[in-house]
Amino acid sequence: MKKFFLVILFAVAFSVYAKTSFNSLDLNNDNELLFTVRNDLQNTVSYESLFYSEIEDGGAKTTPELLSCYPESIEMIKNGKVLQIRNRFGRAEYSDETTFFNWKERTDGITSKFLNIENISISPDGNWECKIIQDSLFSGALIILNINSGKIIELSSNINIQNGSLPVKWSEDSSILLYEKNENIYFCNPDALARNVEVDEKYRKIGRGTINSVDWASQKYLAYIDDYILYKINIKELYSLGLYSEIIGKGNIIGRLPVRFNAKTDRFSADSNVLSIVMIQNEHLFSYLKTKSVNFEYLDMVYSKPYADSSASLLNSFVFWDSSNNPYIWQTKLPYNDKNQKSSIYKISTTLTPILEIEDSSLPSFCPDKSKLAFVSKSTVFIYNINSWQKVSSLEGENIVSLAWKDNNSMFVGGDKTIKKWDLTKATYEVIMLSSVSNSYWDKSSNKIIAENGVDSFYNYDKLKHTWQKIIVENNFQKQIQNGYYRVFNGTTQNVLFENALYIRTLFGDAVTKPLYKESVAKAPAPKKVAIVFDAYDNADGLPVILSVLKKYNLKATFFINGEFIKRYPSETYQIVVNGHECASMFFSTATITDDSFIIDGDFIRRGLARNEDEFFQCTGSELSLYWHAPYYKTDSSIIEEGRNAGYEYISGNSYINTVELNSGIEPQEIITKYFNNLDKMKSTVFPITIGYAGENKINPLYDYLNLIIKTLLDKNCDIETITGLKSK
């Protein structure tokens, strides 16, 4: 078994403080200014971008031009001829045919707040885009966009956005899109929709279920599961089935499953002929099944076992197939004793055969014909042939942020310094764009723009194509901040979102000093402080998801840990600690300590808190912070006072969330809505979330909405803190 030690995709430096700063000023004699902007925005990657501005009348003549482009997300569009690059500043395109780069959408000012990069699904031919346009806290409209014409068509309304996923799947040739609507699966031809010649939606229904109920087995066949029955649908017959499904059925019945398929919690993947499937039940049980020669018979169970790695919890998994229809499974895990994720690839047969063990890897990216996959280390992209598991090539040199295959033998690699086009056949690459810039200069002899983004790495800017070429520099460049007309400098600002402001001082006529960006000096309110806290009672369900989402946003949170949780889940308790989160006390027992059966006195509270401290130390080798709350937040003034005498500060929920509701099965939407409706009334606040299942609500736990909660808080310009951080500010 091969081992690789990799670093997760997007594992680049995150900011602790939400600040934007101006740096690297250089003003030439033609009143042209170069400067860089560093966005140290909370919970997003930090990088430095290069801007150009022509100065006139003491200010910018037009909106300053952005000369670099950080590849927060990249995709191939327009029949694979154009690379789309998206980041917090907007959307840009690079034409592989003309080699020109242009911004298509751009913010006018300087981004000083959290901006979420939209989750989109691009068709394989790059001509269509699906996304959800949010219109309420919990839902939005699913739309399809023609990238070439800009035409937008709504497919479905009231789509749940809690986990950020898109309920769509494209056919390999982009001719058919599957989508979920009102617990049913539909199909459409995007081109027919755009030309208003598609048949009515009621005749394009495949059947009941969610997007998990269907899988593109190949360009020829679609697999569909309805309860216990597996169907194979010939794509050429989709419209016939849609029109006459009540008469001719939903497709060819391949066989019966031994268990009921739950479309909300289960997933599956089929081989190219729909003769075998791998089913993942509740993200925990993995089963490999093969069909028999006779329809309606139960599928043969080749392999079926739950995830049982005692060294790590499972974060996510997915199935893929080689050209011989052998299934493989990729599992991303979070070790109990390490904060860095790892991944494993197994071949599935009667057992799981390890293929690769990858430390700190992201999900892989497959080439168009699915014969190769790419995965990323901190400074290396590896390419493997999935039929032989031989390494095809590798590229190293900088932290990798994003990948996009152009075709089966070339790809674009978005790094934290440059964007490269990589030719696997020739084993060569070319830099097409700078992702970030550490310094910039005017070449006095040629008036060309020179940028530096690393040790001895200099690039020349092509003003016509808006791209960059690496050059060798023999002379040192001298910056200037003043010419005969203007002086530029960085000064102070009252805006708490900016570290400084860039000012232009006019040196002729009426002496005037103006900020280049007015918003950089406008007074802004300090961000609201919010502590998301997690209550660990006696169930660890959801903990891997929670830790993964917190890591995604580079957040540290406070976990209130009960003694029962420590006894039942010592590995998970230690996992919370090694991931760097603050741990506080929730007493030694899950019992309601305000109950009449307890004699509450100072000795009882002190002993209960001390017992929890000792058990936590024995488990983790660490100490609990001196914050606590009673189980279920049920307390009274005497309990709080006795805790204070023991050295602990009591932490309540907040007055707008009935903390009892957190453990009584109240729907999460109701709790979240109440919280955000009252957020503006609170100066600083705590948002409590229960780990595991609350009361009887085992289908829709609050932690499943964590991504939505964090995104909404950041959208509202809140700083998310630990309890210690909340108390210290």
Side-chain angles (χ1 to χ4, degrees), residues 103-157:
W103 285 94
K104 295 298 182 181
E105 300 171 9
R106 244 217 67 198
T107 55
D108 290 333
I110 293 295
T111 302
S112 58
K113 297 181 180 180
F114 169 81
L115 288 177
N116 189 52
I117 303 301
E118 286 183 310
N119 184 23
I120 63 176
S121 175
I122 301 291
S123 61
D125 64 7
N127 292 322
W128 303 92
E129 173 186 308
C130 278
K131 63 182 177 181
I132 295 174
I133 299 179
Q134 187 174 353
D135 51 28
S136 71
L137 183 58
F138 301 102
S139 63
L142 176 66
I143 64 101
I144 183 171
L145 164 72
N146 185 306
I147 292 176
N148 297 292
S149 70
K151 185 172 183 177
I152 295 176
I153 305 161
E154 181 175 318
L155 295 175
S156 180
S157 60

Side-chain angles (χ1 to χ4, degrees), residues 644-702:
R644 186 181 298 113
N645 293 337
Y648 277 80
E649 179 178 353
Y650 194 87
I651 303 298
S652 301
N654 68 71
S655 58
Y656 296 101
I657 293 182
N658 180 352
T659 48
V660 176
E661 292 177 351
L662 297 171
N663 301 284
S664 62
I666 300 297
E667 284 299 314
Q669 294 94 329
E670 183 178 338
I671 296 171
I672 296 168
T673 299
K674 186 183 297 184
Y675 180 85
F676 282 110
N677 284 346
N678 292 283
L679 181 62
D680 291 340
K681 302 175 185 177
M682 298 178 276
K683 223 176 184 183
S684 60
T685 178
V686 170
F687 194 121
I689 297 175
T690 300
I691 297 173
Y693 296 124
E696 298 301 317
N697 197 349
K698 297 183 178 182
I699 301 299
N700 198 24
L702 183 57

Side-chain angles (χ1 to χ4, degrees), residues 578-592:
V578 298
N579 276 271
H581 298 290
E582 180 176 57
C583 294
S585 181
M586 202 209 302
F587 214 54
F588 79 97
S589 166
T590 61
T592 303

Side-chain angles (χ1 to χ4, degrees), residues 273-523:
N273 295 307
V274 198
L275 297 177
S276 304
I277 66 168
V278 175
M279 186 165 58
I280 303 173
Q281 293 174 267
N282 203 27
E283 301 298 334
H284 181 69
L285 180 64
F286 299 86
S287 301
Y288 176 30
L289 303 101
K290 288 189 174 183
T291 60
K292 296 180 179 179
S293 57
V294 181
N295 293 345
F296 295 99
E297 286 196 13
Y298 285 106
L299 277 68
D300 280 332
M301 186 75 73
V302 181
Y303 172 90
S304 183
K305 284 187 178 180
Y307 174 81
D309 188 340
S310 60
S311 68
S313 53
L314 182 64
L315 293 178
N316 55 59
S317 56
F318 75 94
V319 176
F320 59 98
W321 306 76
D322 65 18
S323 60
S324 299
N325 281 327
N326 296 307
Y328 297 85
I329 188 162
W330 176 293
Q331 294 181 339
T332 303
K333 310 171 185 179
L334 183 62
Y336 292 125
N337 61 354
D338 191 351
K339 66 180 180 180
N340 296 317
Q341 296 178 6
K342 66 177 182 178
S343 295
S344 303
I345 301 177
Y346 302 98
K347 183 177 181 179
I348 311 174
S349 55
T350 55
T351 60
L352 291 184
T353 303
I355 302 297
L356 294 176
E357 287 288 334
I358 310 163
E359 296 296 324
D360 292 338
S361 172
S362 67
L363 293 177
S365 175
F366 289 86
C367 69
D369 70 1
K370 305 295 191 296
S371 65
K372 305 183 190 75
L373 64 79
F375 53 83
V376 182
S377 77
K378 184 174 183 179
S379 59
T380 307
V381 185
F382 290 99
I383 309 293
Y384 268 76
N385 184 306
I386 69 168
N387 295 305
S388 65
W389 290 107
Q390 296 297 309
K391 187 175 80 170
V392 176
S393 190
S394 61
L395 180 67
E396 60 183 350
E398 58 186 288
N399 295 336
I400 308 302
V401 180
S402 51
L403 301 173
W405 286 91
K406 173 175 168 44
D407 52 43
N408 293 320
N409 293 303
S410 63
M411 71 186 317
F412 288 95
V413 179
D416 64 344
K417 292 181 171 58
T418 64
I419 301 174
K420 300 181 178 77
K421 182 183 177 183
W422 181 21
D423 188 318
L424 303 182
T425 304
K426 298 179 181 177
T428 60
Y429 70 85
E430 60 176 321
V431 172
I432 62 167
M433 195 65 190
L434 294 188
S435 305
S436 60
V437 171
S438 59
N439 222 331
S440 60
Y441 316 88
W442 286 107
D443 184 342
K444 302 292 189 297
S445 61
S446 63
N447 206 35
K448 291 183 177 180
I449 298 172
I450 308 297
E452 183 180 2
N453 73 347
V455 179
D456 298 324
S457 296
F458 292 89
Y459 295 83
N460 172 60
Y461 182 66
D462 186 326
K463 293 183 179 180
L464 177 63
K465 293 186 175 182
H466 305 153
T467 56
W468 295 86
Q469 294 82 39
K470 192 169 185 178
I471 59 173
I472 297 175
V473 173
E474 297 180 354
N475 301 317
N476 293 327
F477 297 104
Q478 299 297 319
K479 289 177 176 289
Q480 70 175 24
I481 59 172
Q482 177 176 313
N483 58 24
Y485 302 95
Y486 301 102
R487 182 169 69 248
V488 294
F489 63 95
N490 287 330
T492 59
T493 175
Q494 61 181 347
N495 191 323
V496 296
L497 301 177
F498 286 80
E499 185 177 308
N500 58 22
L502 198 168
Y503 293 94
I504 302 170
R505 174 74 169 173
T506 302
L507 302 178
F508 63 94
D510 295 331
V512 177
T513 301
K514 298 179 183 178
L516 183 65
Y517 291 95
K518 291 181 180 180
E519 64 265 33
S520 67
V521 296
K523 193 170 183 178

